[in-house]
C-alpha cells in the first residue's frame, strides 16, 4: 500500500516542486493550504496559486484541503512574536511556527486523519536509519539550508516529516525544475522572511502593534547621544537605524549593546563591547535521544571541533563547549580565538547545536556575556 503524504502547498515554488517529487516517488499525495491571516489579500492570492499548482500536478480538488488556522496562528505565533519584542527579546517566528504549526498541530491532525507523513518545501534532510528513528541534517547547500529554523520542532513530530528538496543546492535549480515541469509558480517571487509582515517592514509592524515612545540612546559612559523611537524596536548588535547625530571621539561606529524596555532605554557601544564568550540558554529541545545528547555535549574526551553552534539562520557554525544542568538548560562557552568573532548575540534568539551537519539540539538564548 502506498504511503499517504500530506504536502503543504503554500502557493510558492518550493512546495510545488516538493509535491511534484513526492508524486514521482510513488506516494499517495494530498495537499493542504494553511489559511493563516483572515484579512490578508496576500493569503487569498496564495490560495489561488496553491489550487493552480494542485491542478497542474493532478491533485483532485477534494484532495486539496484548506485549513483555517488564522485564530491559532495569531494566538500561537504572531502574539508571542509581538510579546517577545515587547519584553526586549529578539525572537525568530519561523522557529516557533515550525514547532507549533507545521510540525506540531498539522502533523498531529494529519496522523489522526490517516496520513503517514507531512511534507514541506524546506531545504533540509531527514534520515531514517538511527535508533531514534530519524536524523535531521542540513540540506545540500549551506546557503539554502533551513535546518536551523526546523530544529525547534519536537522530535516526535519531525519523525513524520519529509523534505523532498534536501538535495537542491540553489533556488535557481528549484525554479528551473518548476519550469521544466510546467508549474505555474516557477517565476513567482520569494516572500519576505517573516510571512505575516508582507512588506518586510518589521519595525512598522511592531509599532502598529505596540505603539512606541521616544527615549534616550546612551553610550558606554552613560551620556545621552541620541533618541530612539521605542526600545523594543532595536536589537543587540544593530548599527543601522540609530541615526546618531555625531561620531564618537574614537571615530568608531556604535552598535546596540543592550535595551531596557522598562526604562525605554537603548545602550550603544563600540564593536568590542559585543564580544561574547558565554551564552546561557533555556531547556534543550533534543533531536537525539536525551541521554545521548547530554553525554555527547559533556564528553571531555571528544575533539573540541566536533560540535558547533549557530545562533542565526545562516550564521557561521562555531565550535563550542557545553554544560548541561539538571533541567537540561545549556551553557555554551567559546575559546578566546572564537569569541573574538562573535558579535550581537541577543536574548530570544534560537541556538542550534550541530555535530557536523547533524542537528543535536536547540534552545532559546536567555543571556550572553
Amino acid at each position: 500500500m502506498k504511503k499517504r503524504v500530506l504536502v503543504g502547498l503554500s502557493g510558492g515554488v518550493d512546495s510545488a516542486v516538493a509535491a511534484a517529487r513526492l508524486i514521482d516517488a510513488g506516494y499517495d499525495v494530498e495537499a493542504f493550504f494553511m489559511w493563516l491571516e483572515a484579512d490578508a489579500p496576500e493569503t487569498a492570492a496564495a490560495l489561488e496559486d496553491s489550487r493552480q499548482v494542485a491542478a497542474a500536478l493532478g491533485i483532485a480538488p477534494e484532495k486539496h484541503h484548506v485549513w483555517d488556522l488564522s485564530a491559532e496562528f495569531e494566538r500561537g505565533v504572531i502574539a508571542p512574536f509581538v510579546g517577545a519584542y515587547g519584553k526586549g527579546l529578539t525572537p525568530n517566528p519561523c522557529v516557533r511556527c515550525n514547532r507549533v504549526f507545521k510540525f506540531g498541530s498539522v502533523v498531529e491532525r494529519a496522523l489522526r486523519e490517516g496520513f503517514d507523513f507531512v511534507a514541506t518545501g524546506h531545504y533540509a534532510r531527514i534520515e531514517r536509519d538511527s535508533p531514534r528513528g530519524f536524523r535531521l541534517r542540513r540540506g545540500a547547500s549551506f546557503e539554502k539550508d533551513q535546518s536551523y529554523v526546523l530544529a525547534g520542532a519536537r522530535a516526535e513530530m519531525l519523525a513524520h516529516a519529509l523534505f523532498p528538496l534536501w538535495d537542491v543546492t540553489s533556488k535557481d535549480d528549484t525554479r528551473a525544475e518548476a519550469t521544466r515541469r510546467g508549474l505555474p509558480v516557477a517565476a513567482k517571487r520569494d516572500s519576505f522572511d517573516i510571512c505575516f509582515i508582507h512588506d518586510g517592514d518589521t519595525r512598522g509592524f511592531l509599532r502598529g502593534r505596540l505603539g512606541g515612545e521616544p527615549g534616550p540612546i546612551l553610550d558606554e559612559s552613560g551620556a545621552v547621544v541620541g533618541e530612539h523611537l521605542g526600545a523594543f524596536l532595536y536589537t543587540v548588535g544593530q548599527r543601522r537605524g540609530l541615526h546618531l547625530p555625531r561620531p564618537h571621539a574614537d571615530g568608531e561606529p556604535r552598535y546596540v549593546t543592550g535595551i531596557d524596555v522598562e526604562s525605554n532605554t537603548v545602550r550603544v557601544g563600540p564593536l568590542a563591547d559585543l564580544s561574547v564568550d558565554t551564552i546561557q540558554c533555556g531547556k534543550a529541545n533534543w533531536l537525539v535521544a536525551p541521554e545521548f545528547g547530554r553525554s555527547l555535549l559533556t564528553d571531555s574526551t571528544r575533539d573540541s571541533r566536533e560540535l558547533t553552534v549557530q545562533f542565526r539562520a545562516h550564521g557561521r557554525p562555531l565550535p563550542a563547549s557545553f554544560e548541561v544542568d539538571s533541567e537540561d538548560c545549556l551553557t555554551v562557552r567559546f575559546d578566546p580565538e572564537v569569541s573574538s568573532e562573535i558579535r550581537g548575540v541577543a536574548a530570544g534568539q534560537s541556538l542550534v547545536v550541530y555535530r557536523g551537519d547533524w542537528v543535536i539540539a536547540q534552545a532559546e538564548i536567555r543571556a550572553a556575556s
Side-chain angles (χ1 to χ4, degrees):
M1 181 181 294
K2 290 183 178 181
K3 294 290 186 181
R4 295 184 69 207
V5 179
L6 186 65
V7 59
L9 275 186
S10 66
V13 65
D14 296 326
S15 61
V17 173
R21 288 185 167 199
L22 291 166
I23 292 170
D24 287 353
Y27 289 102
D28 179 6
V29 176
E30 297 188 26
F32 77 100
F33 177 88
M34 292 195 300
W35 187 282
L36 298 180
E37 295 176 89
D39 300 322
E42 293 86 356
T43 302
L47 174 57
E48 180 58 28
D49 287 339
S50 178
R51 285 174 169 152
Q52 289 184 12
V53 168
L57 293 172
I59 298 173
E62 66 271 17
K63 292 190 175 183
H64 180 276
H65 312 282
V66 180
W67 293 354
D68 184 355
L69 301 173
S70 54
E72 293 91 336
F73 189 68
E74 170 66 36
R75 184 171 59 249
V77 176
I78 298 178
F81 169 79
V82 173
Y85 266 100
K87 295 175 182 176
L89 304 176
T90 304
N92 186 316
C94 298
V95 173
R96 183 170 179 85
C97 181
N98 283 324
R99 180 178 179 85
V100 174
F101 281 91
K102 293 174 184 174
F103 304 100
S105 60
V106 167
V107 171
E108 291 169 349
R109 180 170 173 176
L111 294 176
R112 289 197 304 269
E113 295 185 9
F115 291 94
D116 298 289
F117 299 105
V118 169
T120 66
H122 284 96
Y123 292 79
R125 183 178 185 180
I126 290 284
E127 289 183 350
R128 289 186 168 79
D129 60 354
S130 70
R132 184 93 191 237
F134 82 101
R135 290 182 180 182
L136 175 62
R137 293 189 178 276
R138 293 190 187 276
S141 165
F142 180 81
E143 288 72 24
K144 290 299 298 178
D145 171 55
Q146 292 177 298
S147 61
Y148 173 89
V149 295
L150 292 164
R154 303 198 308 274
E156 60 269 27
M157 297 291 101
L158 284 176
H160 296 279
L162 292 176
F163 302 128
L165 302 186
W166 67 270
D167 62 340
V168 177
T169 58
S170 78
K171 190 60 170 276
D172 288 343
D173 290 344
T174 306
R175 293 191 184 282
E177 183 172 341
T179 299
R180 291 195 303 271
R181 292 177 178 275
L183 297 176
V185 293
K188 184 176 180 179
R189 70 173 180 83
D190 291 342
S191 61
F192 289 102
D193 286 343
I194 301 177
C195 68
F196 55 86
I197 302 179
H198 301 287
D199 59 2
D201 182 8
T202 301
R203 180 175 287 190
F205 176 85
L206 290 170
R207 291 196 74 184
R209 291 287 187 117
L210 293 172
E213 294 292 334
I217 299 176
L218 308 179
D219 71 6
E220 62 274 22
S221 70
V224 176
V225 294
E227 185 178 78
H228 62 73
L229 301 175
F232 62 84
L233 297 171
Y234 300 80
T235 188
V236 172
Q238 179 177 336
R239 178 185 175 188
R240 292 183 179 180
L242 292 173
H243 305 298
L244 298 181
R246 61 178 179 82
H248 271 65
D250 59 10
E252 296 298 319
R254 289 305 187 256
Y255 301 80
V256 175
T257 58
I259 61 175
D260 186 336
V261 295
E262 293 294 327
S263 63
N264 198 29
T265 300
V266 173
R267 298 187 303 278
V268 298
L271 187 62
D273 286 359
L274 292 173
S275 295
V276 166
D277 56 29
T278 303
I279 297 177
Q280 300 285 347
C281 297
K283 186 178 178 65
N285 178 56
W286 297 109
L287 295 185
V288 297
E291 61 276 10
F292 172 74
R294 295 184 200 106
S295 64
L296 178 66
L297 266 58
T298 58
D299 181 3
S300 61
T301 66
R302 65 171 172 79
D303 187 326
S304 61
R305 297 166 296 179
E306 182 181 12
L307 297 176
T308 60
V309 299
Q310 193 171 319
F311 54 88
R312 292 191 180 93
H314 296 289
R316 189 171 78 83
L318 299 166
S321 59
F322 303 84
E323 295 174 13
V324 184
D325 71 13
S326 60
E327 300 296 323
D328 274 351
C329 295
L330 306 183
T331 299
V332 183
R333 303 187 192 281
F334 304 96
D335 291 336
E337 62 269 22
V338 174
S339 63
S340 63
E341 301 180 32
I342 303 172
R343 300 285 190 269
V345 180
Q349 288 178 304
S350 179
L351 182 140
V352 179
V353 183
Y354 292 86
R355 184 184 189 184
D357 68 352
W358 176 19
V359 178
I360 302 300
Q362 176 270 348
E364 183 177 308
I365 295 172
R366 290 179 173 173
S369 59

